[in-house]
Amino acid sequence: MVRKLFLALAGLIPFVANAEPHLSGSLIQSVNTDFSHYRGGEWIRMAITLSNQTGALFTGRVIGIVTGRGVQVGDPVTISVSGLAAGATATAELRFPSSSTNWQGYFVNLVAVNQNGHQIDQEASAFDVSSDWWTYPRQCWVVGAYTDWGGWKPNLFRTPQQDVQSLNAYKCNNLQFYNMLYRWHQPWVKSSSWINGDGENISVDLIQRHVAAARSLRMGTLMYMPLYAANVGIAPNFLRDGSGVQLSWGAFTSACGSNCKTADLWHDGFSNIGVMNPNNTSWQTYWGKRAEIMRQKLGFDGMFVDTYGTINTPLWDWSANRIIMDTAYSSFLKTVQGYVQGPMVLNSAGSYNERDLVQSGRETYHFVERWNNPSDIGNFGDLLTKARQVWGWANRTPNNIGLDWDMGMNKTLGASKACSINGGSTACTFNTPGVLYQEAADLATGSHHAWIVDGEQQVGDGARFISNDDFPIGNMLSPKQDMVQGEYDYQNFGVAYEKLLRLNINPSKVSAPSIVLGAKGSATAAAGSVWLFQNHRSGFDILHLLNYQQISSASFNDVNDNAGNAASPTLTGSLQLKMYYTPGGELGDLYTASPDVRHGAPVKLTYVKGSNNLGDYITFTLPSLKFWDMVWLENGVASSDYETP
């Protein structure tokens, strides 16, 4: 339990320039922790950068109040601030002890008050007490090891330590090192640098410094390598580079058998890549051995296996047999894991072969590059369908599989030549409502949104965000200040309430909840109404409300907000709700929280019990709704794995 801790500073810690996201308050500029996750019983060190924009000298206190699932944990932690001049910047530190729990997130309400006790600013933070980084995966990208970007040399990066620390502020806990291979089939060569297959220069020293920075924050590190790609277009090709890759391992576009040539290899639209047969055990063995060399030489924890998504083209092997892809991913991992001594994640790049992959049980966690189309995610409601499918297929114990969806935003605008790198006009920046609609749906349905990249377009962005189809290395849109604050709040909320959002969540079996008064509700996600869906986990009934009342039908089916014109929802007044609850447990307190309200601070609600022919229910008043509110009812919490915050 958190004990009272008072730190009286003789002077504030000198400010050190950093690349962390700048929040929108008048005093608390940024917040970060010393690790991405903690072991139970450790102290949490929280650095708070103060930038006095109040217009006057500030003397007062910064107070941190910790809650778990809404319940206050211990006494407030306070630090005194004396004589911070207007416009001045400094860093203060709060320290919080933690209990010996596991896989639980904690919300930290941060309030700055003056000498008279009047609130000057309010922000929030969170910390994750977990023994690993894969139960709640929060993957982000690293590309800062590039020194030449094939003709484009961006000025986006600070030191690896600063940039990775900034990703930590956005709550990333594992990093994909993207496309830093020498060649797709030959990831490592003995050199201080190399030019990869896309013509970009990679620094080995920068890779190692980024790995060290990630390790200092307890982040996992995964090295990107395609599952079936071999170099054919860059001299020398895979048959002449001494790598040992054989043409007989290939996937061919006709049944040419042993008469096949390199030109017969499938390319999947990539001029320099020939596709290998993922079922071929010799290729699998080769890949595993090469990946393990790369992992050991550069210090990665494991591998991120990429695919190019659905294969609709008929393909044949060296014996002129049709290649059957139904179990290609699980077969590949089964062999490769005999060589790679570390965690592995495989991106199926859509729903293709997803069920077999999940049911194989070979993923460390489930990462998918989701696509905004009817075959994958055709609207916001499909995110819930897909999450529940994957959890049902995995059915892992004691902790079900973690989910991480890669979905870019504003892809059409991101590719537009009319948009400058640094934005400047509304048309060339992210549409914040579109971003928050997606973040709300991802988090509410149990996943993390994997789209945050190191480096920043402008000071205060804290990172970059994927604004094209799938590449985290090109020109990207610079977020507006409201998006920086919103993205921070949503990522923070996802950590603070992770056990209610992501761990062992099951669909509720009781009657559907409803809005009695104040808005139009629906149990089905649709434009023009508030979407209500309910989950249950041990000890809790959990209700989510996502506000689609102002979204158009076109935007509702455009999860990526490609046109950048999703309309922001109108803040509602109070809503009267009826929520049925799971029978058999003893009811306790009722809470609500939203990343849209006071940065996610929990609020206790009163309720009245009732019963009808559909079951037992409670009625209560929700103060308001903008994008998303979560409500949770303690129901049998004394026998839950979440009894003690």
Side-chain angles (χ1 to χ4, degrees):
M1 301 294 286
V2 175
R3 300 184 301 273
K4 184 174 183 179
L5 177 67
F6 182 86
L7 296 180
L9 292 186
L12 294 173
I13 303 168
F15 173 69
V16 178
N18 56 59
E20 295 172 356
H22 288 186
L23 308 178
S24 56
S26 60
L27 185 64
I28 300 174
Q29 182 185 80
S30 62
V31 185
N32 212 334
T33 53
D34 57 332
F35 294 119
S36 63
H37 62 284
Y38 295 86
R39 305 179 186 100
E42 286 188 318
W43 285 85
I44 288 85
R45 298 178 61 188
M46 186 172 293
I48 302 173
T49 301
L50 303 173
S51 180
N52 186 359
Q53 305 302 312
T54 65
L57 186 76
F58 176 76
T59 294
R61 295 172 294 146
V62 178
I63 306 165
I65 302 170
V66 177
T67 56
R69 60 170 175 81
V71 179
Q72 183 168 327
V73 183
D75 295 325
V77 175
T78 304
I79 193 166
S80 296
V81 179
S82 180
L84 185 62
T89 304
T91 300
E93 182 178 290
L94 296 178
R95 296 192 181 191
F96 305 92
S98 66
S99 61
S100 57
T101 56
N102 201 3
W103 301 304
Q104 293 184 186
Y106 295 83
F107 180 85
V108 184
N109 193 30
L110 297 169
V111 180
V113 298
N114 64 15
Q115 289 174 296
N116 298 320
H118 295 148
Q119 181 173 311
I120 301 299
D121 199 5
Q122 185 259 333
E123 282 288 348
S125 187
F127 56 88
D128 174 12
V129 178
S130 291
S131 55
D132 59 65
W133 46 263
W134 51 82
T135 295
Y136 302 117
R138 302 186 294 272
Q139 187 181 111
C140 299
W141 270 265
V142 163
V143 294
Y146 292 59
T147 58
D148 188 298
W149 298 59
W152 176 57
K153 297 182 179 180
N155 183 25
L156 300 171
F157 302 97
R158 302 197 187 194
T159 68
Q161 186 68 44
Q162 287 174 313
D163 284 337
V164 175
Q165 180 75 20
S166 188
L167 294 178
N168 189 62
Y170 276 119
K171 304 303 180 185
C172 309
N173 69 0
N174 75 102
L175 306 177
Q176 179 194 151
F177 284 64
Y178 178 73
N179 199 25
M180 295 177 187
L181 319 161
Y182 168 64
R183 293 291 181 267
W184 299 281
H185 68 284
Q186 191 175 8
W188 183 82
V189 291
K190 188 176 182 180
S191 178
S192 61
S193 66
W194 52 69
I195 298 176
N196 69 9
D198 292 319
E200 297 143 342
N201 198 301
I202 309 298
S203 164
V204 171
D205 175 65
L206 283 174
I207 292 177
Q208 292 173 324
R209 289 171 62 194
H210 279 88
V211 170
R215 184 169 290 117
S216 74
L217 295 164
R218 294 184 185 158
M219 293 181 180
T221 54
L222 300 173
M223 177 68 191
Y224 169 97
M225 187 171 174
L227 180 147
Y228 37 47
N231 166 49
V232 297
I234 303 168
N237 68 22
F238 72 86
L239 293 176
R240 296 177 173 84
D241 63 3
S243 64
V245 176
Q246 303 296 308
L247 182 62
S248 58
W249 302 348
F252 305 98
T253 55
S254 67
C256 46
S258 57
N259 294 318
C260 289
K261 310 297 182 188
T262 358
D264 298 309
L265 287 169
W266 187 48
H267 293 267
D268 195 21
F270 297 98
S271 59
N272 290 330
I273 290 174
V275 171
M276 296 290 106
N277 176 7
N279 294 323
N280 184 283
T281 54
S282 295
W283 166 252
Q284 293 171 352
T285 300
Y286 168 87
W287 194 104
K289 289 180 176 179
R290 288 288 182 167
E292 179 61 10
I293 290 172
M294 180 69 157
R295 192 192 70 80
Q296 289 189 13
K297 294 290 186 181
L298 296 179
F300 294 104
D301 291 314
M303 300 300 295
F304 180 94
V305 188
D306 197 23
T307 74
Y308 304 143
T310 304
I311 299 177
N312 292 317
T313 303
L315 298 172
W316 286 265
D317 66 15
W318 186 253
S319 300
N321 296 316
R322 179 74 180 269
I323 297 175
I324 307 301
M325 296 290 295
D326 294 356
T327 61
Y329 299 160
S330 59
S331 166
F332 181 86
L333 286 181
K334 181 179 180 180
T335 300
V336 164
Q337 284 175 336
Y339 300 95
V340 176
Q341 303 304 302
M344 298 193 72
V345 174
L346 191 152
N347 171 30
S348 59
S351 299
Y352 182 64
N353 285 347
E354 188 176 12
R355 181 171 186 168
D356 173 69
L357 173 63
V358 173
Q359 290 182 331
S360 73
R362 296 189 172 277
E363 308 165 283
T364 300
Y365 63 84
H366 191 59
F367 179 105
V368 180
E369 180 183 330
R370 291 290 178 207
W371 292 97
N372 192 176
N373 60 58
S375 69
D376 195 20
I377 302 294
N379 61 60
F380 284 100
D382 289 342
L383 290 163
L384 179 62
T385 302
K386 189 56 63 179
R388 287 179 171 175
Q389 270 186 344
V390 172
W391 278 334
W393 292 335
N395 196 28
R396 289 188 182 180
T397 57
N399 297 337
N400 210 344
I401 197 167
L403 308 179
D404 213 330
W405 304 153
D406 166 15
M407 298 185 79
M409 290 294 300
N410 281 7
K411 292 183 290 186
T412 300
L413 292 181
S416 172
K417 294 179 181 178
C419 290
S420 67
I421 294 175
N422 290 320
S425 70
T426 302
C428 294
T429 58
F430 284 99
N431 177 37
T432 300
V435 169
L436 299 186
Y437 276 123
Q438 187 180 122
E439 294 294 15
D442 279 341
L443 286 166
T445 58
S447 71
H448 170 260
H449 182 196
W451 73 312
I452 306 176
V453 191
D454 61 330
E456 58 181 8
Q457 297 282 146
Q458 299 183 93
V459 173
D461 292 353
R464 295 179 298 140
F465 303 87
I466 295 178
S467 53
N468 50 19
D469 281 350
D470 51 5
F471 298 109
I473 57 174
N475 292 355
M476 298 187 189
L477 308 178
S478 190
K480 293 176 288 187
Q481 180 57 46
D482 65 339
M483 181 194 144
V484 172
Q485 178 72 66
E487 183 68 24
Y488 172 85
D489 287 339
Y490 274 70
Q491 297 296 347
N492 194 68
F493 192 91
V495 171
Y497 300 102
E498 59 194 8
K499 202 159 191 170
L500 295 172
L501 292 167
R502 307 182 69 184
L503 186 62
N504 300 335
I505 304 299
N506 297 292
S508 177
K509 296 179 180 179
V510 299
S511 298
S514 60
I515 298 176
V516 178
L517 185 66
K520 178 184 176 182
S522 174
T524 303
S529 62
V530 175
W531 180 27
L532 301 94
F533 68 89
Q534 195 166 322
N535 290 326
H536 179 76
R537 76 168 324 279
S538 172
F540 299 89
D541 286 308
I542 306 156
L543 171 63
H544 295 280
L545 299 93
L546 293 115
N547 189 1
Y548 298 138
Q549 291 184 109
Q550 278 72 48
I551 201 170
S552 68
S553 295
S555 289
F556 177 75
N557 293 288
D558 180 12
V559 180
N560 297 118
D561 195 21
N562 291 336
N565 60 6
S568 179
T570 301
L571 181 68
T572 72
S574 61
L575 305 179
Q576 306 296 316
L577 286 112
K578 177 185 285 185
M579 174 184 177
Y580 291 86
Y581 58 86
T582 305
E586 181 180 352
L587 298 193
D589 291 326
L590 178 71
Y591 295 91
T592 187
S594 169
D596 309 317
V597 181
R598 296 180 62 238
H599 310 293
V603 175
K604 187 185 290 189
L605 302 174
T606 60
Y607 63 89
V608 176
K609 292 195 292 184
S611 182
N612 60 22
N613 63 323
L614 296 177
D616 297 325
Y617 62 86
I618 61 170
T619 57
F620 61 95
T621 299
L622 189 68
S624 64
L625 172 65
K626 191 170 184 184
F627 287 94
W628 167 39
D629 273 31
M630 179 172 69
V631 177
W632 62 99
L633 173 66
E634 296 176 344
N635 187 354
V637 70
S639 58
S640 170
D641 65 342
Y642 205 175
E643 179 184 1
T644 303

